[in-house]
Amino acid sequence: MADAPAPLAAARAGAGAGFWRRAWRHPSFAVGALLTAALALAALLSLVWSPYPPAEIDIPNKLAPPGAAHWLGTDSLGRDIASQLLVGSQNSIVVGVVAVGIGLVLGVALGCLAAAHAAAGGRWVDELVMRGCDFTFAFPALLTAIMLTAIYGPGLLMSIVAIGIFNVPVFARIARGSAQVVWAREFVTAARAAGKGPWRITLDHVLPNIASPLVVQASISFATAILAEAALSYLGLGTQPPQPSWGRMLNEAQTQMFQAPLLALWPGLAIMASVLGLNLLGDGLRDLLDPKLSRRR
């Protein structure tokens, strides 16, 4: 009996290795993972190094073309574009992680609460949570950010709060729908017959079985959060100067479109690559974590 855990650990290790072999053969997952890793590495690199201080103004070298001194050129104030892109990636990571984390924690808790209450024969909690989600959907992240900035002023924190609030009903609906399917399974019925309470069943049986769709939605919501933060910064509601932001770089570049079109190209490519990578990663995870789809590969 003492040796029983060893075969189990070996089986788990083999299953993990098999998953990663299938994952890297999946083109969507592989491309998405590489693009997402590039975003993370850029943010980590900018914490310790950047070619120039991102807010350093060098008027004599303004609108310089790409070259050895400035790899991607400079903007209308002589600030290095490559440095701004690197440091600006930090904001995208922070907004994505915190905003999705808010939506994930609160949304999953509300969704599981609604499903557990409905499984016990109640309806009012389920109705209250779902009608609250419908009400929140009536206020998109952009509109919520406008309302918050009108009260508290613009800033990165307001962007995170607005995007996080919008993510809550998204995760609540997914958690509720997936949890209701699990509550109808035989092993949950057996757990209830054994005397387990609803929250013990939720922790032991429901959450492990709904983790896959939540992980997929988290990667997709991460991409949406990056895009929303760029839009808010473009409108002047997000990250404020002198902190670099991809969205604000686009806003500043629009006045120089004919004189220096590359100023809009670089932040646009950064946003596109990040959002594309996370969406491809989410699509790949969906295929790999869905048993029906994974058996076809």
Side-chain angles (χ1 to χ4, degrees):
M1 295 297 292
D3 297 333
L8 180 60
R12 289 177 176 174
F19 171 83
W20 288 110
R21 281 195 298 269
R22 290 189 296 109
W24 289 114
R25 288 199 300 265
H26 192 292
S28 178
F29 178 90
V31 174
L34 291 175
L35 290 174
T36 304
L39 171 64
L41 288 175
L44 291 174
L45 178 63
S46 67
L47 293 174
V48 296
W49 176 86
S50 62
Y52 296 89
E56 183 179 280
I57 296 175
D58 185 11
I59 296 298
N61 288 317
K62 67 177 183 178
L63 299 180
H70 299 280
W71 301 339
L72 302 180
T74 60
D75 64 8
S76 58
L77 296 177
R79 296 171 297 188
D80 184 66
I81 298 297
S83 301
Q84 292 189 74
L85 288 176
L86 282 174
V87 178
S89 64
Q90 297 177 21
N91 294 328
S92 299
I93 294 290
V94 169
V95 170
V97 170
V98 179
V100 172
I102 292 172
L104 185 64
V105 172
L106 296 180
V108 170
L110 289 173
C112 288
L113 173 64
H117 195 266
R123 297 299 304 174
W124 67 269
V125 172
D126 187 24
E127 285 295 324
L128 183 63
V129 171
M130 289 301 100
R131 298 298 74 78
C133 290
D134 293 340
F135 177 79
T136 307
F137 274 130
F139 297 91
L142 183 58
L143 183 58
T144 305
I146 292 173
M147 292 189 296
L148 291 175
T149 53
I151 301 172
Y152 301 105
L156 183 63
L157 179 60
M158 293 300 102
S159 298
I160 292 174
V161 172
I163 299 170
I165 291 174
F166 182 75
N167 278 328
V168 170
V170 175
F171 283 99
R173 284 180 175 274
I174 293 175
R176 171 184 173 271
S178 302
Q180 285 181 328
V181 174
V182 177
W183 274 100
R185 301 290 296 274
E186 291 80 3
F187 60 86
V188 172
T189 304
R192 296 173 72 176
K196 285 188 176 183
W199 288 111
R200 183 64 183 275
I201 292 175
T202 298
L203 293 175
D204 291 349
H205 302 288
V206 175
L207 283 177
N209 283 282
I210 67 173
S212 296
L214 293 175
V215 169
V216 173
Q217 182 59 44
S219 64
I220 296 173
S221 294
F222 203 127
T224 305
I226 291 177
L227 197 58
E229 189 279 329
L232 292 171
S233 296
Y234 178 84
L235 296 174
L237 303 176
T239 306
Q240 299 298 298
Q243 187 68 18
S245 169
W246 294 345
R248 203 177 66 254
M249 289 174 69
L250 282 174
N251 178 278
E252 295 170 352
Q254 68 181 355
T255 59
Q256 309 286 337
M257 282 296 294
F258 296 102
Q259 188 177 0
L262 290 179
L263 292 181
L265 176 65
W266 302 125
L269 286 176
I271 295 171
M272 183 194 73
S274 301
V275 173
L276 177 64
L278 287 162
N279 277 310
L280 289 175
L281 183 63
D283 288 342
L285 286 172
R286 180 200 60 199
D287 294 345
L288 292 166
L289 296 176
D290 190 321
K292 296 179 181 179
L293 295 175
S294 62
R295 279 197 294 265
R296 297 175 185 174
R297 303 194 64 84

